[in-house]
């Protein structure tokens, strides 16, 4: 009988210890083990993780899977794109083909995680960027710590926010996803929870104890995935160490209104125009003026092609389910492997020491036509697609997001409109609905301050 996972077998040059697997009762831990490289993901690691996940899926003894990173600095700082760029520069078409193969392998792993039928938990303890985002954001439970540093920096290296960014980012509230995708802005610590990137926040010092406690959980055979996840959710709250003192949502108030206003537009040129208006208007608060100027400076550093392709990706991604997301991104990634900005961007920003300014081609937004952008989304007849590892479990929205994360704005709006309530009563209702979950009060207060007003003691939703 042929080996179903023969394509994932160890290859010459693979490091035998770049991923460590351990068992603790019903918990199976996956530890990325390249701390000197900030646990950057490569093919060797992927070839180890996929067969283990499929093994755990079939095992009645494996109840919960937890993924984390070795060392104090990173969960996973991204894919090893430096090697991909070197291969393309040195080997031409053969390098492009091997890079495309790598992304196909990576996206199949990400899709497997997104559709995994058992509880999968990601510890975002440290730098979480690029490939590390793919290993974590599709997990139903994503735990941020004080060390979390989340970002999607791809536009700065002549690429696009892949690893399922087409699915995850556009579904963040308002225009947050588009803002994070185009600017590479980072979310640190508890800010990842407030933004919806993480579903939980705890102090990193208690992660080992949490793992041990989760290993004690015993599920009934007939418990479905939602029941198991709810049980895990309550268990995580046992380790609630409180929020960092005086650290409130940063992307809030007038700043969040400005983000939603500026990044709602359908072209990069319109976004830039909106930012310039915020920067130059006399009545704009100083904080927003400074933010608009800094954001314009950030966008000016990015690849014009990446910016335009990424904005189109954010708009189209709302229509894609998980399977279409990774198939589409597979083709987009292949197009970027043929584009000079990828090698130029990675070489300038990641390979050269010290980093240099990338020379983009074309160098301006005006030089990137609509047809240039659309060419990244065209799939030629007969072009290969991903051989995804799970079938029939795809979805248009994460089915557990509203259960496990902080309440979303539409949920808060619904509670505001269903019955006349004062502000404190309203907050109490939402906190109770989430069983006192950490961060709920702060999130609700921020949303109400931005999206509602109080009339005669009753909270009224704006617009």
């Amino acid at each position: 009988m042929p080996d179903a996972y023969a394509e994932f077998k160890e290859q010459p040059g693979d490091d035998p210890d770049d991923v460590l697997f351990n068992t603790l009762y019903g918990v199976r831990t996956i530890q990325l083990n390249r701390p000197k490289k900030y646990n950057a993901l490569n093919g060797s690691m992927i070839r180890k993780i996929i067969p283990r996940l499929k093994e755990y899926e079939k095992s009645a003894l494996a109840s919960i899977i937890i993924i984390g990173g070795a060392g104090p600095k990173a969960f996973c700082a991204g894919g090893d794109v430096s090697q991909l760029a070197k291969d393309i520069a040195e080997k031409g078409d053969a390098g492009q083909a091997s890079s495309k193969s790598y992304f196909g392998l990576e996206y199949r792993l990400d899709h497997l995680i997104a559709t995994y039928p058992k509880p999968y938990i990601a510890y975002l303890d440290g730098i979480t960027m690029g490939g590390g985002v793919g290993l974590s954001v599709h997990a139903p439970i994503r735990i941020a710590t004080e060390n979390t540093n989340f970002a999607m920096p791809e536009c700065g290296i002549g690429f696009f926010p892949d690893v399922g960014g087409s699915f995850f980012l556009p579904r963040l509230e308002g225009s947050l996803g588009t803002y994070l995708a185009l600017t590479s802005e980072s979310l640190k610590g508890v800010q990842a929870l407030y933004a919806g990137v993480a579903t939980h926040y705890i102090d990193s010092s208690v992660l080992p104890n949490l793992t041990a406690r989760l290993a004690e959980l015993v599920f009934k055979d007939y418990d479905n995935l939602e029941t198991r996840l709810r049980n895990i959710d309550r268990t995580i709250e046992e380790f609630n160490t409180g929020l960092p003192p005086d650290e409130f949502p940063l992307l809030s108030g007038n700043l969040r209104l400005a983000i939603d206003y500026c990044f709602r537009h359908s072209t990069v040129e319109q976004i830039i125009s909106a930012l310039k208006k915020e920067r130059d208007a006399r009545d704009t608060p100083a904080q927003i003026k400074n933010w608009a100027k800094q954001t314009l400076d950030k966008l000016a550093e990015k690849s014009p092609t990446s910016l335009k392709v990424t904005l189109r990706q954010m708009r189209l991604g709302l229509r894609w389910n998980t399977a279409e997301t990774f198939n589409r991104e597979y083709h987009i990634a292949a197009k970027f492997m043929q584009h000079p900005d990828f090698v130029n961007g990675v070489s300038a920003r990641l390979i050269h020491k010290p980093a240099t300014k990338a020379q983009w081609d074309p160098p301006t937004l005006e030089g990137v036509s609509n047809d240039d952008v659309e060419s990244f989304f065209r799939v030629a007849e007969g072009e290969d697609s991903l051989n995804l590892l799970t079938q029939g479990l795809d979805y248009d929205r994460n089915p557990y997001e509203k259960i496990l994360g902080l309440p979303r704005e539409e949920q808060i709006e619904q509670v505001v409109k269903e019955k006349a309530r004062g502000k404190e009563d309203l907050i109490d209702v939402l906190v109770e609905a989430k069983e006192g979950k950490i961060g709920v009060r702060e999130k609700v207060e921020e949303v109400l301050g931005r999206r509602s007003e109080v009339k005669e003691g009753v909270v009224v939703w704006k617009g």
Side-chain angles (χ1 to χ4, degrees):
M1 179 180 290
D3 185 345
Y5 305 114
E7 62 182 306
F8 306 119
K9 284 190 173 180
E10 183 177 339
Q11 295 185 4
D14 282 2
D15 180 348
D17 298 317
D18 51 15
V19 186
L20 304 178
F21 302 92
N22 283 291
T23 295
L24 183 62
Y25 300 108
V27 164
R28 302 294 182 268
T29 62
I30 302 171
Q31 185 180 52
L32 311 178
N33 191 38
R34 299 179 74 203
K36 292 182 179 179
K37 294 282 189 180
Y38 297 100
N39 299 319
L41 187 68
N42 61 22
S44 169
M45 300 163 83
I46 297 170
R47 283 188 286 274
K48 292 179 181 66
I49 295 171
I50 287 177
R52 286 295 184 125
L53 284 177
K54 296 304 288 185
E55 173 191 326
Y56 298 156
E57 182 181 333
K58 296 175 183 177
S59 171
L61 300 177
S63 299
I64 298 171
I65 289 79
I66 300 174
I67 189 167
K73 295 182 178 179
F75 164 61
C76 175
D80 200 350
V81 293
S82 295
Q83 187 59 53
L84 301 183
K86 289 176 183 177
D87 287 346
I88 293 171
E90 295 170 3
K91 302 175 185 177
D93 290 347
Q96 291 178 11
S98 64
S99 296
K100 180 182 178 182
S101 176
Y102 166 78
F103 285 116
L105 191 65
E106 181 181 22
Y107 299 165
R108 291 168 75 193
L109 170 57
D110 295 336
H111 178 265
L112 175 61
I113 292 168
T115 55
Y116 203 65
K118 288 187 174 182
Y120 177 100
I121 301 170
Y123 289 169
L124 284 68
D125 186 31
I127 299 169
T128 304
M129 298 182 184
V133 172
L135 296 176
S136 58
V137 297
H138 307 294
I141 295 178
R142 308 176 296 277
I143 300 177
T145 75
E146 75 281 4
N147 301 319
T148 298
N149 184 0
F150 172 96
M152 293 295 280
E154 287 78 8
C155 284
I157 59 169
F159 199 45
F160 75 110
D162 62 333
V163 296
S166 309
F167 186 90
F168 185 79
L169 290 168
R171 288 165 175 80
L172 293 178
E173 294 172 325
S175 297
L176 280 180
T178 301
Y179 171 64
L180 296 173
L182 295 180
T183 66
S184 307
E185 181 69 17
S186 63
L187 296 171
K188 295 182 179 179
V190 74
Q191 301 304 323
L193 173 70
Y194 291 139
V197 170
T199 56
H200 298 77
Y201 176 88
I202 63 174
D203 192 273
S204 62
S205 63
V206 304
L207 288 176
N209 291 335
L210 172 60
T211 300
R213 176 71 179 92
L214 292 172
E216 297 173 355
L217 296 182
V218 177
F219 302 120
K220 296 180 175 64
D221 291 343
Y222 55 78
D223 285 345
N224 60 21
L225 181 55
E226 179 178 330
T227 299
R228 296 177 186 219
L229 290 171
R230 285 183 182 275
N231 196 352
I232 293 170
D233 181 38
R234 287 189 288 269
T235 303
I236 294 171
E237 288 303 313
E238 295 175 12
F239 292 83
N240 177 351
T241 52
L243 295 172
D246 302 321
E247 190 166 344
F248 303 103
L250 294 179
L251 303 180
S252 61
N254 288 333
L255 175 55
R256 173 58 192 282
L257 291 172
I259 290 172
D260 286 352
Y261 171 75
C262 293
F263 285 84
R264 65 190 171 94
H265 296 290
S266 56
T267 70
V268 178
E269 290 86 349
Q270 289 171 333
I271 289 172
I272 289 174
S273 177
L275 286 165
K276 288 179 177 178
K277 287 180 180 178
E278 293 287 345
R279 180 195 64 187
D280 299 336
R282 290 184 178 180
D283 57 348
T284 301
Q287 175 204 13
I288 305 305
K289 280 180 176 287
N290 291 335
W291 166 80
K293 180 182 182 304
Q294 291 169 5
T295 302
L296 286 165
D297 291 343
K298 288 178 182 178
L299 294 176
E301 297 173 350
K302 311 300 183 192
S303 157
T305 298
S306 292
L307 288 176
K308 286 199 168 186
V309 171
T310 295
L311 182 58
R312 184 67 176 147
Q313 171 201 5
M314 292 298 101
R315 301 300 178 254
L316 291 175
L318 273 174
R319 310 175 196 169
W320 298 343
N321 69 9
T322 43
E324 187 172 6
T325 289
F326 291 106
N327 268 300
R328 289 281 195 158
E329 290 186 357
Y330 176 57
H331 295 294
I332 298 170
K335 299 284 178 61
F336 269 107
M337 294 304 97
Q338 301 166 7
H339 196 282
D341 277 5
F342 179 73
V343 171
N344 292 341
V346 172
S347 298
R349 303 309 302 165
L350 301 179
I351 297 176
H352 294 162
K353 303 296 181 187
T356 59
K357 184 177 180 180
Q359 301 300 311
W360 305 123
D361 183 17
T364 65
L365 291 169
E366 292 75 20
V368 185
S369 69
N370 289 338
D371 190 63
D372 291 335
V373 174
E374 290 304 318
S375 69
F376 282 83
F377 298 90
R378 295 191 194 111
V379 180
E381 188 175 347
E383 227 177 300
D384 60 326
S385 60
L386 289 178
N387 180 22
L388 298 175
L389 297 164
T390 52
Q391 305 292 332
L393 296 175
D394 291 290
Y395 46 84
D396 298 309
R397 291 212 61 128
N398 186 319
Y400 308 109
E401 200 65 40
K402 291 184 178 181
I403 299 170
L404 300 170
L406 296 184
R408 293 178 60 88
E409 289 189 17
E410 61 264 27
Q411 292 173 285
I412 298 171
E413 178 184 3
Q414 182 180 352
V415 175
V416 169
K417 291 181 175 179
E418 72 183 8
K419 181 181 177 181
R421 293 185 175 96
K423 181 179 177 181
E424 284 304 315
D425 287 343
L426 184 65
I427 293 173
D428 288 344
V429 167
L430 287 158
V431 170
E432 185 178 350
K434 286 288 185 178
E435 300 181 354
K437 186 182 183 70
I438 187 173
V440 172
R441 174 172 290 275
E442 291 76 10
K443 168 73 181 285
V444 173
E445 286 180 341
E446 189 284 316
V447 172
L448 292 179
R450 178 167 44 86
R451 300 296 307 274
S452 74
E453 57 188 341
V454 177
K455 293 183 177 180
E456 298 180 356
V458 174
V459 177
V460 179
W461 196 258
K462 293 179 183 177

